[in-house]
Amino acid sequence: MEDQAPPVTVRGAFGRRDPDARGYFGEFGGRFVPETLVAPIAELEAAYLDARSDPAFEQQFTSLLRHYVGRPTPLHEARRLASALGASRVLLKREDLAHTGAHKINNALGQGLLAVRMGKRRVVAETGAGQHGVATATVCALLGLACDVYMGVDDMARQALNVFRMRLLGARVHGVDAGSRTLKDAINEAMRDWVANVHDTHYLLGSALGPHPYPLMVREFQSVIGQEARAQCLAQYGRLPDAVVACVGGGSNALGLFDAFIDDSAVRLIGVEAGGEAIEAGRHAARFAGGSPGILQGTRTFVLQDDAGNIGATHSVSAGLDYAAIGPEHAWLRSSGRAEYAHVSDAQALEAFQWLARTEGIVPALESAHGIAHLRELARESSPPELVLVNLSGRGDKDVQAVERQLRPDAAGQEPSL
Ligand SMILES: *Cc1c(COP(=O)(O)O)cnc(C)c1O
């Protein structure tokens, strides 16, 4: 095992809380990669550290975030939702209004610009439900990069519309017919492609996961969410929120929000995982409820696994939260006590999906609906937070058909029973 030095704090161009030099956040993170990836990852780390301290790079990124992605995204007070829940005040950070409909574009754009800076002309990416693939294909079209996306064949069948969107954007989509034929296998295949083509190819990883420097880099590209939200909250309400809440798949939208509030010790940081059908092996994706420390796809973190270390099957109604590992910085934030984690079930998320539509006229992504669902749990606490800020990580157009099927499993053609 490598060293377990505590993280050091470094002030970069737009970064503050870095892992140590070997990529560890406390005892989590690091870089567990085959020999063939050691040099490419070192090259990537050097290029990233150079870019983050270059004002010209930050200016380029910031300008595209503003004029292409549509930032800053608004902070909306959800008054009718709050009163329906018996909650105090609820603020929604509207990442659903970013271009392509979710926060994923922030990271895809940052890494796309980095790829260009490194002289790469091609990008590979993995995708589960297709959201990260669409964001990556979008950025590649914008920057004139070739784009190959790996996707499990089962996911391709489930997400045919996103496959078409990626192709429309000029990407090649490759079906992965190995293992569980879902995200984990697509990541392995994208890694293989990267190793073989690293001279001209960048691997654009979609969440705060994988070997160092990915968890750091992805968090930093997403940290614009929290920087904006903190400033907007102060400007609009004259105070900081009592709690900030975000759903956690790999953990990028949550870290992007939390990062700006880490030093505000009075602000509770709350991550919400997918509780699925039940907290039983194979029926959920709540790594902190059913997982243990282990290594998956290049990083040491909390993983759903059996006693022999075999990666467990996962389930969530929301594809973006359905993964066996959580980003290593979350494991560290939890072990240090700075952040707390909860999980909500598929049924609670489906209910929250409808609440938000009915009370605010906003159809959220099913991932984001997990964060909304947790508001009810918070409202039931003995001294509930008075001002809660929730990251609405994405819009729900992609989920409308799946929700319709869930709400009327046996009654095709009838009105959904709300
Ligand atoms: C992918 C996705 C997530 C989960 O990914 P994180 O890296 O945990 O943020 C959450 N919400 C939406 C809308 C997504 O598309």
Side-chain angles (χ1 to χ4, degrees), residues 90-124:
V90 174
L91 310 178
L92 302 178
K93 180 60 174 162
R94 299 289 310 274
E95 290 302 294
D96 60 314
L97 294 178
H99 181 45
T100 70
H103 69 289
K104 288 203 168 71
I105 190 79
N106 303 322
N107 168 53
L109 182 61
Q111 286 193 51
L113 290 172
L114 185 64
V116 171
R117 186 180 166 100
M118 292 175 76
K120 310 288 184 186
R121 40 160 299 281
R122 175 174 176 266
V123 156
V124 291

Side-chain angles (χ1 to χ4, degrees), residues 72-368:
T73 57
L75 189 68
H76 164 69
E77 178 162 4
R79 293 174 198 272
R80 280 180 26 87
L81 175 72
S83 84
L85 292 178
S88 320
R89 304 183 80 175
V90 174
L91 310 178
L92 302 178
K93 180 60 174 162
R94 299 289 310 274
E95 290 302 294
D96 60 314
L97 294 178
H99 181 45
T100 70
H103 69 289
K104 288 203 168 71
I105 190 79
N106 303 322
N107 168 53
L109 182 61
Q111 286 193 51
L113 290 172
L114 185 64
V116 171
R117 186 180 166 100
M118 292 175 76
K120 310 288 184 186
R121 40 160 299 281
R122 175 174 176 266
V123 156
V124 291
E126 81 295 340
T127 197
Q131 295 303 109
H132 174 58
V134 168
T136 301
T138 298
V139 164
C140 287
L142 175 73
L143 301 178
L145 293 162
C147 182
D148 288 88
V149 178
Y150 290 90
M151 191 169 185
V153 288
D154 288 357
D155 286 338
M156 282 178 78
R158 280 195 288 247
Q159 300 289 337
L161 188 60
N162 271 340
V163 173
F164 180 66
R165 283 171 81 191
M166 286 183 264
R167 289 182 171 149
L168 202 56
L169 292 159
R172 284 180 298 244
V173 184
H174 308 277
V176 177
D177 194 357
S180 58
R181 308 197 293 192
T182 56
L183 178 61
K184 184 161 58 66
D185 313 291
I187 294 178
N188 290 337
E189 219 41 58
M191 285 267 183
R192 244 187 293 272
D193 180 320
W194 189 34
V195 171
N197 298 293
V198 68
H199 59 284
D200 73 345
T201 299
H202 172 66
Y203 178 20
L204 207 162
L205 186 63
S207 189
L209 285 164
H212 176 66
Y214 282 104
L216 168 65
M217 183 165 72
V218 175
R219 178 198 80 192
E220 290 295 280
F221 289 138
Q222 293 291 1
S223 66
V224 64
I225 301 172
Q227 286 162 21
E228 286 176 7
R230 190 177 186 282
Q232 287 168 318
C233 191
L234 285 172
Q236 293 170 221
Y237 301 91
R239 54 165 296 196
L240 291 174
D242 300 307
V244 300
V245 177
C247 64
V248 186
S252 69
N253 88 88
L255 289 173
L257 177 66
F258 291 178
D259 192 58
F261 297 96
I262 298 261
D263 296 333
D264 303 312
S265 55
V267 179
R268 288 170 64 187
L269 310 177
I270 306 173
V272 184
E273 297 184 278
E277 297 162 346
I279 302 299
E280 291 169 14
R283 300 182 69 191
H284 70 100
R287 289 67 43 108
F288 289 141
S292 52
I295 294 165
L296 181 60
Q297 288 173 329
T299 191
R300 182 169 192 277
T301 185
F302 264 69
V303 178
L304 290 170
Q305 56 191 338
D306 66 18
D307 292 341
N310 300 309
I311 301 310
T314 52
H315 163 81
S316 170
V317 69
S318 122
L321 305 184
D322 193 355
Y323 183 63
I326 189 167
E329 189 173 352
H330 284 290
W332 175 68
L333 286 172
R334 178 172 176 266
S335 70
S336 71
R338 179 64 191 92
E340 47 191 295
Y341 294 83
H343 53 82
V344 310
S345 68
D346 287 353
Q348 289 173 297
L350 283 163
E351 210 179 8
F353 183 92
Q354 298 165 78
W355 298 337
L356 193 65
R358 291 258 169 128
T359 58
E360 298 291 333
I362 298 170
V363 178
L366 275 172
E367 291 84 1
S368 321

